[in-house]
Amino acid sequence: MPELQGASRQGRFMYVVHQASCSVYPVWVYTHEEYPKRPNDQELKEQFAIIE
């Protein structure tokens, strides 16, 4: 992620693939500064509930 500062400039892009329509839907983009590992399970469940 070029706009981030520091040497790592790392982030994650989470998405869902709908196989029947061959579509990809972005769900969440976050940086390692915001979440060093990953969002907690409750936050992930909330995001996936929104797209259902």
Side-chain angles (χ1 to χ4, degrees):
M1 297 184 169
E3 70 277 357
L4 297 179
Q5 301 298 316
S8 65
R9 296 184 178 157
Q10 295 179 351
R12 289 217 162 84
F13 175 72
M14 297 178 78
Y15 58 90
V16 173
V17 176
H18 186 263
Q19 292 181 352
S21 66
C22 296
S23 300
V24 176
Y25 297 95
V27 175
W28 203 344
V29 177
Y30 64 90
T31 67
H32 285 241
E33 184 177 332
E34 295 171 304
Y35 297 96
K37 297 285 184 184
R38 69 179 187 98
N40 67 45
D41 288 344
Q42 184 58 39
E43 290 176 299
L44 291 172
K45 287 178 185 178
E46 290 170 5
Q47 291 299 313
F48 285 111
I50 291 170
I51 63 169
E52 285 185 317

